[in-house]
Amino acid sequence: KYKTDVMKERILSINPQADVEVKKEFFLPDSDTAFLNDCDYIVDAIDTISAKLALVQTANEKKIPIISSMGTGNKLHPELFEITDITKTSVCPLCKVMRKELKNRGVAHLKVLYSKEKPVDVSKNITEEEKGNKRSLPGSISFVPPVAGLIIAGEVIRDLAGIS
């Protein structure tokens, strides 16, 4: 099942009168952004940097609030996640790339969820067969990404409700 369909089912199980519109879109840098016109808030949980950057730029152009999830891969301490501006981040390699690329694109600020936890070094886990042109991909442990999602959900709800 699509995550969006599961979430709609869950919302309707809580409130059968809720108006839930599901949009199944795979966002890429050259995607048509018209589907974003009705958004009140954007949660960026995209894995590719080029798509993250395009989505942030689109959100800024359309004046839609956005929060971006930075890397949760190879992390084991979800209690270290925090929400801040991209300019105030450190340690996280994805944040470093995003800061540089956003600056190059004239984007001064971006609300992000990130962690100062140093990612677990998995380079020793690469077999001889995997060496060469292959790079190690970050792995996720089952409890870390959901915590990040819950923290982001809380931030979005507080923002939409006007509660600091």
Side-chain angles (χ1 to χ4, degrees), residues 107-119:
V107 177
H109 299 283
L110 173 64
K111 184 182 284 194
V112 298
L113 172 127
Y114 92 109
S115 174
K116 289 182 185 170
E117 177 187 0
K118 291 182 180 173

Side-chain angles (χ1 to χ4, degrees), residues 1-9 22 24 45:
K1 288 184 172 183
Y2 285 99
K3 293 176 188 176
T4 50
D5 291 333
V6 172
M7 194 68 237
K8 179 178 182 176
E9 289 173 15
V22 172
K24 296 176 186 109

Side-chain angles (χ1 to χ4, degrees), residues 17-161:
Q17 285 77 42
D19 180 18
V20 181
E21 182 181 347
V22 172
K23 295 180 181 184
K24 296 176 186 109
E25 300 284 341
F26 190 85
F27 189 85
L28 295 169
D30 58 349
S31 291
D32 178 6
T33 61
F35 76 96
L36 295 171
N37 293 339
D38 298 327
C39 290
D40 294 317
Y41 212 108
I42 297 172
V43 174
D44 159 33
I46 299 173
D47 292 330
T48 59
I49 293 172
S50 59
K52 283 178 113 45
L53 291 165
L55 186 59
V56 170
Q57 284 186 281
T58 300
N60 281 350
E61 290 164 9
K62 294 179 179 279
K63 302 202 181 327
I64 302 169
I66 184 169
I67 184 169
S68 289
S69 178
M70 297 292 111
T72 62
N74 297 338
K75 305 281 174 94
L76 297 174
H77 291 277
E79 71 276 11
L80 297 178
F81 284 126
E82 62 182 85
I83 294 175
T84 191
D85 191 84
I86 190 80
T87 61
K88 296 177 182 173
T89 61
S90 62
V91 179
C92 175
L94 179 56
C95 289
K96 182 178 180 181
V97 172
M98 289 292 290
R99 278 193 311 269
K100 179 181 184 278
E101 293 298 326
L102 289 170
K103 184 177 180 182
N104 291 344
R105 289 164 171 76
V107 177
H109 299 283
L110 173 64
K111 184 182 284 194
V112 298
L113 172 127
Y114 92 109
S115 174
K116 289 182 185 170
E117 177 187 0
K118 291 182 180 173
V120 174
D121 181 6
V122 295
S123 62
K124 295 177 241 144
N125 299 343
I126 298 173
T127 66
E128 287 299 319
E129 296 160 355
E130 294 170 325
K131 288 184 179 174
N133 291 336
K134 290 192 175 188
R135 61 185 175 96
S136 64
L137 297 174
S140 293
I141 194 155
S142 61
F143 57 86
V144 174
V147 171
L150 290 170
I151 293 170
I152 289 171
E155 182 71 10
V156 170
I157 289 168
R158 285 187 299 275
D159 280 354
L160 291 173

